[in-house]
Amino acid sequence: EVQLVESGGGLIQPGGSLRLSCAASGFSVSSTYMTWVRQAPGKGLEWVSAIYSGGSSYYADSVKGRFAISRDHSRNTLYLQMNSLRADDTAVYYCARSPREGYPGDYWGQGTLVTVSS
Amino acid sequence: DIQMTQSPSSLSASVGDRVTLTCRASQDISTSLAWFQQKPGKAPKSLIYAASSLQSGVPSKFIGSGSGTDFTLTISSLQPEDFATYYCQQYYRYPWTFGQGTKLEI
């Protein structure tokens, strides 16, 4: 059974760094197209980043240069390293697995809340 | 970036009704369009991909159609569990973008 469990969220000061984790089971993150999507409180969905099985990655303009997506085959975990955090990065962050490369996620985690505030 | 515009922003309906939600892209995205359902405090749930393909396990009461710039999601025989917010998303070109959502209310 496919399962995704995000962790690593919390309260962080502006300018700080945080690494989100997405632990997967039922499939291999290393051979699967994965994405991160976020949702600010009371707002809509915003695509953040994606990584192909071959390692190519893409980012939203709003996070480019500050966030980095990666994965660990041995831990079967997807990561999102977030640096230079700003108040407008405050959101619930979801990871999602896609059934094929370049397609939206069919399985989503429950999300982890990141709050950027002093 | 490709802009996605959903209409209406909110919609009131009754149990048993059939409703149609609309999503318009700012440029041609072929059929690279997905629909998601989200309930308060929950993760989005994938309903439709490739504009009209039903995700595994999703009931056939959800019907997606369209291509190019204009897309619709039709939900028939509304049940209480169908009242939620629905989002469309284009995956034709990065950055992927979502519509602002349509809130379906009783």
Side-chain angles (χ1 to χ4, degrees), chain B residues 46-65:
Chain B
S46 177
L47 299 175
I48 301 277
Y49 65 96
S52 60
S53 296
L54 208 59
Q55 201 62 262
S56 175
V58 175
S60 58
K61 61 188 294 180
F62 293 93
I63 298 173
S65 67

Side-chain angles (χ1 to χ4, degrees), chain A residues 10-18 83-87 114-118:
Chain A
L11 176 63
I12 186 77
Q13 291 191 337
S17 297
L18 212 54
N83 300 326
S84 303
L85 283 162
R86 311 186 303 221
V114 173
T115 303
V116 184
S117 175
S118 55

Side-chain angles (χ1 to χ4, degrees), chain B residues 15-29:
Chain B
V15 172
D17 284 355
R18 184 176 78 168
V19 296
T20 297
L21 284 55
T22 297
C23 177
R24 176 164 289 175
S26 61
Q27 59 185 269
D28 189 338
I29 60 169

Side-chain angles (χ1 to χ4, degrees), chain B residues 18-97:
Chain B
R18 184 176 78 168
V19 296
T20 297
L21 284 55
T22 297
C23 177
R24 176 164 289 175
S26 61
Q27 59 185 269
D28 189 338
I29 60 169
S30 184
T31 56
S32 299
L33 191 282
W35 289 96
F36 297 89
Q37 175 194 68
Q38 188 179 34
K39 297 180 181 179
K42 300 294 186 181
K45 175 185 176 183
S46 177
L47 299 175
I48 301 277
Y49 65 96
S52 60
S53 296
L54 208 59
Q55 201 62 262
S56 175
V58 175
S60 58
K61 61 188 294 180
F62 293 93
I63 298 173
S65 67
S67 67
T69 60
D70 294 313
F71 303 85
T72 60
L73 174 68
T74 298
I75 312 169
S76 58
S77 187
L78 282 172
Q79 297 302 304
E81 61 269 23
D82 299 327
F83 291 91
T85 299
Y86 292 83
Y87 294 93
C88 63
Q89 180 200 26
Q90 68 82 17
Y91 55 97
Y92 182 78
R93 178 176 295 137
Y94 294 111
W96 290 0
T97 43

Side-chain angles (χ1 to χ4, degrees), chain A residues 13-27:
Chain A
Q13 291 191 337
S17 297
L18 212 54
R19 187 178 78 163
L20 304 183
S21 300
C22 171
S25 56
F27 71 100

